Amino acid sequence: MTGRQDKAFGSGHIDWWVVAIYAALVLIGWVNIYAAVYNESQAGVFDLSQRYGMQMLWIGISLAVAVVILLVDDKYWHMLAYPFYGVAILVLLAVLVVGREVNGAKAWIFIGPVALQPAEFVKFTTALALARYMSRYTFNIHDLKDLLRVGLIIAVPAAIIVLQNDAGSAVVYGAFLFVMYREGMNGWLYVAGMLAIALFLGSFLFTPETILVLLVLGCTVAEGLTNGYWKQKIIFLSGIALSTLIIYFTSVFFITENTEVFWALLASVLVSLVFVVLYAYRHRLRNVYVYLVLFLSSLVFVSTVDYVFDNVMQIHQQKRILDLLGLESDTQNWGYNVNQSKIAIGSGGLLGKGFLEGTQTRFDFVPEQSTDFIFCTVGEEWGFVGTSIVTVLFCLLILRLMKMGERQREAFGRIYCYCVAAIFFVHVVINIGMTIGIMPVIGIPLPFFSYGGSSFLAFTVLFFVAVRLDAGKRELLRN
């Protein structure tokens, strides 16, 4: 061990506050796994026949790996980023051939009695590869070639994971979009993404005519409140929006055929768009063209939603979306897990029922309670106070990781720390959201809480590499 490595590990360069948060989450997570699968006849914490015993073993293995990471010079993570990424892609491809199917996803490799899910570790290698590429001196996020290459780094593992029928793990790769925004990517791309999500969900709740009107109003208000000349713009654009609304409501009340309503409204909007283009050209308002592109793209997108929903999505994905939006209520089949989870969390009240006293937990009313739905154990046994403490700890962990990224002197460390923060953020929001019924059930673990050796080890590696990079830079700053 070199002198620099010894100093980084033992002389205060490590951010011990963030390590303490990690330790608190690990401890609370293990306690809740113990409660979720508690067996009176086999209550020993080291009983490897029980999930809490296996999780304790994985915690020990992960901590040993963490020590090794802290001892390795931080420069090696930059050097090994691409080799690790390449090996990870090959392993993902191998899973398609030799992997085993678990819960409908062919995403597991069995080594003796140990089951590993390579997709969990590929998030780490993708974060490293992304950090290395985006930290190049010649990298420019506004350059189309660089942007496409970054997209390729993210899309390749995500696409392979989709082929493994593990869409939940693939969704997590959207976390890297937060990192790209931090590094300066055009905000309009994110507006387009959020608009696409809103239109997708809105197409189930509103008629095409209503969506069309909402688009016109949204673009009108957005343009009317920007770029000066606000009086004349508001008058002009409000006139367009008002005429559209008048035609819409006239059509609704006096035309019974839905198709005729739509085409009448569409014609009025297209006429309005001609005036908008002429107005924008005269006043040199480039923003208007952006709104027009978003508007027309939205029309095309909405027209494809039904096809994607009916022909691309699987039946369980369709049911979960409809259940989330309240369009179908099936508490005995597709909605059973979420319904039981909400009952468990709600029954905890303010302070919870107490450790090992949760009836929903003890009698296995919630499926997958030690994995995807572990948060409902927290809610039932520790109540609102317990869930609030866990949520605050996760928020502190994510914010601390972002702070670690901001104090990096090199782009590689900053980007990697933000990647880790974004991955944790997406996991926490989706997992907790699906247990309380505000997110679709897509089956991703809650970091350091959900039972599973692959996920726990992968999250630990992600976290401690960020800690090691931060320790190295803090050492340089102090010397």
Side-chain angles (χ1 to χ4, degrees), residues 140-248:
N140 181 0
I141 200 163
H142 301 295
D143 185 280
L144 183 58
K145 290 183 179 179
D146 281 335
L147 198 57
L148 289 175
R149 288 168 183 166
V150 166
L152 196 63
I153 291 172
I154 300 170
V156 169
I160 299 173
I161 291 170
V162 169
L163 292 177
Q164 296 174 356
N165 200 28
D166 188 9
S169 295
V171 168
V172 177
Y173 285 79
F176 296 116
L177 294 174
F178 292 105
V179 182
M180 295 167 70
Y181 181 75
R182 163 61 184 83
E183 295 302 308
M185 195 165 81
N186 194 322
W188 279 108
L189 297 175
Y190 294 87
V191 172
M194 289 186 288
L195 180 61
I197 295 173
L199 288 172
F200 181 82
L201 298 177
S203 64
F204 296 100
L205 303 173
F206 305 105
T207 64
E209 297 87 352
T210 303
I211 292 175
L212 199 59
V213 169
L214 291 175
L215 286 172
V216 172
L217 288 176
C219 293
T220 299
V221 172
E223 175 55 28
L225 298 178
T226 57
N227 293 335
Y229 305 105
W230 62 274
K231 290 184 179 179
Q232 62 182 20
K233 287 200 299 183
I234 287 179
I235 293 172
F236 183 81
L237 297 175
S238 295
I240 294 175
L242 183 60
S243 64
T244 304
L245 284 173
I246 290 172
I247 295 174
Y248 168 66

Side-chain angles (χ1 to χ4, degrees), residues 102 140 155 187 214 280 301 306 308 331 376 410 471:
V102 177
N140 181 0
L214 291 175
F301 179 81
D306 287 342
V308 172
T331 58
C376 68
E410 297 177 357

Side-chain angles (χ1 to χ4, degrees), residues 27 33 45 67 94 106 119 129 140-141 178 206 230 246 252 257 278 295 298-299 301 303 313 342 344 457 468-469:
L27 177 61
I33 290 176
V45 296
V67 172
K106 192 176 182 180
N140 181 0
I141 200 163
F178 292 105
F206 305 105
W230 62 274
I246 290 172
V252 168
E257 290 293 332
L278 293 174
F295 176 78
S298 299
L299 291 181
F301 179 81
S303 66
M313 288 188 168
K342 290 192 289 186
L457 181 57
R468 183 63 189 91
L469 291 172

Side-chain angles (χ1 to χ4, degrees), residues 25 29 33 55 370-376 378 390 394 424-435 443-451 455-456 459:
L25 288 170
I33 290 176
Q55 189 76 352
S370 63
T371 53
D372 297 342
F373 285 86
I374 187 68
F375 190 74
C376 68
V378 181
V390 170
F394 274 119
F424 283 149
F425 174 77
V426 169
H427 269 274
V428 170
V429 169
I430 292 179
N431 184 278
I432 293 179
M434 72 184 190
T435 61
I444 64 173
L446 185 62
F448 312 125
F449 273 67
S450 296
Y451 169 78
S455 63
F456 190 92
F459 285 130

Side-chain angles (χ1 to χ4, degrees), residues 108-119:
W108 297 83
I109 292 178
F110 283 78
I111 304 174
V114 179
L116 294 176
Q117 188 178 14

Side-chain angles (χ1 to χ4, degrees), residues 50-71:
Q50 300 297 309
R51 286 192 166 186
Y52 44 77
M54 285 299 298
Q55 189 76 352
M56 180 67 75
L57 176 63
W58 279 109
I59 290 172
I61 293 172
S62 299
L63 292 179
V65 172
V67 172
V68 173
I69 291 172
L70 293 176
L71 293 174

